[in-house]
Every structure is written in structure tokens, then in C-alpha cells.
Amino acid sequence: MSNTTNQSWGGRFSEPTDAFVARFTASVDFDRRLYHHDIRGSIAHATMLERVGVLTSDEREAIMQGLGEVEREIEAEQFPWSVELEDVHMNIEARLTEKIGITGKKLHTGRSRNDQIATDIRLYLRDEIDIVAAELARLREGLIELATREADTIMPGFTHLQSAQPVTFGHHLLAWQEMLTRDHERLLDCRKRVNVMPLGAAALAGTTYPIDRHVTAELLGFERPAENSLDAVSDRDFAIEFGAFASVLLMHLSRMSEELVLWTSAQFDFIDLPDRFCTGSSIMPQKKNPDVPELVRGKTGRVYGHLMGLLTLMKSQPLAYNKDNQEDKEPLFDTLDTVQGCLKAFADMVPAIEAKTDNMFEAARKGFSTATDLADYLVRAGVAFRDAHEIVGQAVALGLREQKDLSEMSLDELRQFSDAIQADVFEVLTLEGSVAARNHIGGTAPDQVRAAAQRARDALATLQQEA
């Protein structure tokens, strides 16, 4: 450090900040990614100050021109970032003052770094949410199209990871799509609370200058100014809420990843992922590892950790702003980077999934997956459900002993358990008949799957239009 104190706040200090403390407390190494939004907020603030008579039109013009030059330097990677200036705000303001003189120092009139950083983060997160929403929509579109193509592909449905009833691959994919629909809605709802402007709250109590916060909010595209100055500078609920959205989203992607990993194994062999989404082994030449879903599954814990970190960060803070809040940016930034990367990987990969339909069909034939259909058949023939359950259980026990599926048994073998069983029973014991019989909204019948895919397609289009 130099022998002088920090020029932005050092007037009451008698000695410079310790060199280690300056590095320890500086945030410029990570908050510099906010430069565009910081400059955008400053332009809006200067425009408002001119409208209320605090700045002259010449001063505003000089500030805008200088900020434009600063932004171009940053984008060209020619900007002299300084740890001594602590953060993105003071680095930009100091460079602006170097370029345009004392007018640059007037830019900070009527605001504080407290409301400035709160505004920058909201502007940044709002833009990033729009990117996340676009990738989420792209993934949903890919799932819907793949589900439509695979509406007739029969596979086993599982409970407890045991074969339960036959479904279609398209139906299973639309279950994933339903998870992502809820995520999409949560994300857009979160955006509403991000889109509130703290600027004008100053350090914590507002300002005595005749500012017009509605003008600034309109210039920056915010829905409204924040109502309370104390809350405006100290609130980080919006970051926590995004972290909660991200955690639920990654939980869903992790569940999908687990199934993809299982399905690509030799033991299941249900699907194939293109080579470009996989890697090999350095020692086992036959290996094709599903690295993309495995890594997404692994990154889920990282996002959970950031949510816990943000919650813990805020749990004991008194009003209003505290230096603790500097720790909000790195977990938020990493959460955004992780979510965007995982969504891009999935949105690129999902449409390229190839179903191994024969293997899926053969797997669905195992495990007596049409047993429930036989029980339903007996109920329709007048047998009480509990009795039907017992009858089918006895038939399954025979199948286990004889190593036969229900559909492979003769009529006589089945009738030994109930006289209600007739020759038409084999219509319900086929996989095709089982899937087609559940012909109601939300059911597995291929026509219902195609109809559900169309409803999902329409709902997605409506959601995007309303966003």
C-alpha cells in the first residue's frame, strides 16, 4: 500500500490499511464480472441526477462518454484493475475520474456502494436468469420431441428399482419434463422478486438529494423501487431464492442422470449416448463412460452447498448492510455457472439419446410386469380385489417355479387359480395391451403420451410468451 489512505473513504483514518487486510477485504478479483451492470447502473443514476438538477447536461454527457471508454477498456482487457481500490465500483469510478476529472467524483452523489452493489447483483442475476430460462426451455423442448418419437416404445416402469408395470419411454421422458416445468415456473417467479431496485437507498437511510427513484427504476427496467431503504441494501433473499431454485433443478437433473447412468450400463442396456458426451478409460479399452450425467450428478452437491452457505451467511445479520454480504457473490456466481453448464450439457445431449427398443421391450417382459393387469381383469369379472390380488400372487409363484411369464402360461395353468379367467385374458397380459389399457389423461397409452407432449409443447410456448 501507499502511505495515503483510500481516497474513497479514508478521510477519518490516520494510517493506511494493512497490506494483507487490503487483499483480504478486497472483492475486485471476483466482483469485476459485474462491470457491465455497474456501468449500466451508473449511466441510469447520472441520467436521473441530471433530470432532478443535481448534474448539468454537460456533466452527464462527460460521465456517459467516460464510462463508455472505461467499458471498452475492460472488454479489451486493457483495464488497470487494482486491489487497492477494493472492488469493481471504486476501480471504475477512479478510472472515470482519471479520464474526465472532478466530474467523475460527482457520479457518486446520492448513492452508496451499499445500494450500488445490491443493484448490480440484481441486474446481473436478472440477465443470467434469462439465460438459464432459455436453456431450460431448450431442454424441455428436446425432451418433448424425444418423448413424441418414443411414444410407442415399451419399457419397464419401476418402483423400488424393481420391475412394476410396463410404461413407454415417451411417458417416462414426460415425467422428467414435468419436473422441469415446475423448475421453469419457480425460476420465472424468482425473477419477479429479483426485479426490484435498491438504488437510492444509499448506505441505509436514503439520501437528502431530490432523487427520483422511479426514473432510475424505469431506465434500468426494474418493476419498481424497493420500499424500505434498510431492507433494500441488506436483502439477499433473491440470491437465496435462486439458490433454492438451482438446488431443486439440480436434484431433478441428478435423478435423470442416475437413470441415464443405469440405462447405459451393460446390465440395463436401454439407451445409447453419442460418443461426444462420453469418455473412455485409460486402462480398459472397452469402456464408454457416461461422464456428462455423472458429472451433473456430482455437481448437485456443489449447488446444495452454496445454498447452505448463503442461508448461513444471512442468518445472524442485524440490519442493515454488513461486510459479511461480500461473501454472497462467489457462491451465487458459481451456482449460476454450474446451472448454465449443466443445462447446456443436458439440452445438447437429450435429443441425441438413442433408445434400444428391443432391449427395453425384453426387459419389460421380465418381472411379471402385467400382474396388476391380471388382477384388474379379475375384478372386472366380479372378483373382489383382495381375492384377485391373492389369485395373481399364486399365479406369479407358479411362474417363478416354472420360469414362465404370465403371458407364457396356458389357459389351463391360469384357470387353476380362478374360473373367472377366460380365453380373452391374454389380451391384457401382453405388454402392448397393458400400456394401451391405461388410456386416460396422465396414462401410458401411446395416444395419451402424444397428447400430453402436445399439451406440454403448448404450455411451454405460453410460458415463454408471458415471461
Side-chain angles (χ1 to χ4, degrees):
M1 286 281 295
S2 66
N3 291 326
T4 60
T5 59
N6 188 299
Q7 295 303 301
S8 67
W9 47 258
R12 60 95 66 208
F13 285 75
S14 60
E15 62 179 352
T17 304
D18 178 83
F20 167 75
V21 172
R23 291 192 303 273
F24 183 71
T25 59
S27 60
V28 67
D29 286 344
F30 52 84
D31 69 16
R32 66 174 66 179
R33 76 158 68 186
L34 299 172
Y35 76 89
H36 173 75
H37 301 87
D38 191 75
I39 290 171
R40 184 179 173 189
S42 291
I43 289 173
H45 183 65
T47 301
M48 180 276 294
L49 290 178
E50 182 208 1
R51 291 191 188 181
V52 299
V54 174
L55 292 179
T56 67
S57 59
D58 288 344
E59 288 172 331
R60 172 186 171 273
E61 186 61 34
I63 287 171
M64 291 185 65
Q65 182 176 339
L67 287 173
E69 293 176 8
V70 169
E71 185 163 32
R72 287 189 289 275
E73 283 185 352
I74 295 173
E75 290 173 348
E77 299 184 356
Q78 296 175 346
F79 186 85
W81 296 105
S82 168
V83 170
E84 292 184 7
L85 291 171
E86 298 182 18
D87 55 36
V88 62
H89 321 298
M90 296 315 305
N91 270 267
I92 289 174
E93 183 179 318
R95 185 62 174 154
L96 175 67
T97 301
E98 287 179 6
K99 288 179 173 295
I100 67 172
I102 194 171
T103 300
K105 296 183 177 182
K106 295 184 178 183
L107 174 60
H108 207 55
T109 305
R111 72 177 182 183
S112 161
R113 284 189 294 177
N114 293 358
D115 62 341
Q116 190 176 356
I117 187 56
T119 302
D120 287 1
I121 296 174
R122 285 176 182 265
L123 286 171
Y124 175 80
L125 181 55
R126 189 180 68 188
D127 286 351
E128 295 298 301
I129 282 175
D130 291 342
I131 295 171
V132 171
E135 285 296 282
L136 190 48
R138 191 164 70 89
L139 173 53
R140 289 180 62 194
E141 289 167 355
L143 275 172
I144 293 167
E145 293 310 311
L146 183 58
T148 302
R149 294 200 305 270
E150 303 295 343
D152 295 288
T153 301
I154 293 175
M155 68 176 292
F158 299 93
T159 62
H160 308 278
L161 206 56
Q162 305 297 311
S163 183
Q165 291 179 277
V167 297
T168 68
F169 189 34
H171 190 64
H172 195 114
L173 293 168
L174 288 181
W176 292 358
Q177 200 283 141
E178 286 297 309
M179 298 177 189
L180 297 179
T181 298
R182 297 190 293 273
D183 294 329
H184 203 163
E185 292 169 351
R186 270 187 286 267
L187 176 64
L188 297 182
D189 197 51
C190 171
R191 190 187 189 281
K192 297 175 185 176
R193 282 173 289 284
V194 172
N195 201 29
V196 177
M197 188 191 74
L199 200 59
L204 77 161
T207 177
T208 58
Y209 294 97
I211 63 172
D212 189 333
R213 298 182 67 215
H214 290 284
V215 168
T216 319
E218 182 179 354
L219 290 170
L220 292 173
F222 282 110
E223 184 68 24
R224 60 179 176 84
E227 286 285 342
N228 183 282
S229 60
L230 288 169
D231 181 63
V233 297
S234 60
D235 169 42
R236 293 299 183 271
D237 290 1
F238 61 93
I240 293 170
E241 188 173 355
F242 181 82
F245 149 79
S247 295
V248 176
L249 170 67
L250 264 292
M251 177 267 291
H252 287 152
L253 294 182
S254 184
R255 292 183 69 184
M256 298 175 202
S257 295
E258 176 70 8
E259 292 187 313
L260 291 172
V261 171
L262 286 172
W263 293 346
T264 57
S265 69
Q267 288 69 32
F268 278 80
D269 201 23
F270 284 0
I271 65 169
D272 187 50
L273 295 178
D275 289 354
R276 63 185 179 276
F277 297 105
C278 302
T279 65
S281 166
S282 62
I283 188 172
M284 295 170 283
Q286 84 282 9
K287 292 293 295 298
K288 180 179 176 180
N289 299 325
D291 278 17
V292 167
E294 286 180 347
L295 192 55
V296 169
R297 187 177 58 186
K299 286 181 179 292
T300 301
R302 176 194 196 108
V303 171
Y304 289 178
H306 290 325
L307 173 60
M308 291 302 104
L310 288 168
L311 285 166
T312 306
L313 173 70
M314 298 303 300
K315 76 175 183 64
S316 299
Q317 285 198 40
L319 290 171
Y321 182 85
N322 301 279
K323 188 67 170 178
D324 312 45
N325 283 355
Q326 182 170 297
E327 290 296 301
D328 64 348
K329 292 170 227 16
E330 288 178 291
L332 178 60
F333 294 163
D334 190 68
T335 296
L336 281 161
D337 293 344
T338 302
V339 165
Q340 289 177 14
C342 290
L343 282 173
K344 175 174 171 48
F346 258 67
D348 289 345
M349 178 180 64
V350 162
I353 291 173
E354 295 181 8
K356 297 185 177 182
T357 57
D358 291 342
N359 292 353
M360 286 184 172
F361 188 88
E362 286 304 311
R365 285 167 51 85
K366 300 175 183 177
F368 306 95
S369 64
T370 58
T372 304
D373 297 276
L374 178 55
D376 292 342
Y377 170 89
L378 289 168
V379 170
R380 288 193 296 271
V383 179
F385 179 78
R386 285 300 171 199
D387 292 336
H389 191 287
E390 177 69 18
I391 291 167
V392 176
Q394 292 171 0
V396 168
L398 174 64
L400 289 169
R401 291 194 300 271
E402 300 291 333
Q403 295 187 339
K404 286 183 179 180
D405 185 67
L406 294 174
S407 63
E408 296 171 331
M409 294 182 185
S410 68
L411 181 59
D412 288 341
E413 285 176 311
L414 291 171
R415 281 180 59 82
Q416 67 180 295
F417 303 112
S418 174
D419 292 339
I421 297 176
Q422 302 297 322
D424 62 350
V425 70
F426 295 103
E427 295 176 11
V428 305
L429 293 181
T430 65
L431 297 178
E432 295 88 347
S434 174
V435 168
R438 293 189 284 278
N439 190 23
H440 54 75
I441 187 169
T444 60
D447 286 345
Q448 289 292 342
V449 173
R450 281 185 278 269
Q454 186 57 53
R455 288 194 298 273
R457 195 177 290 111
D458 294 342
L460 175 56
T462 299
L463 189 67
Q464 289 178 294
Q465 289 171 2
E466 294 175 349

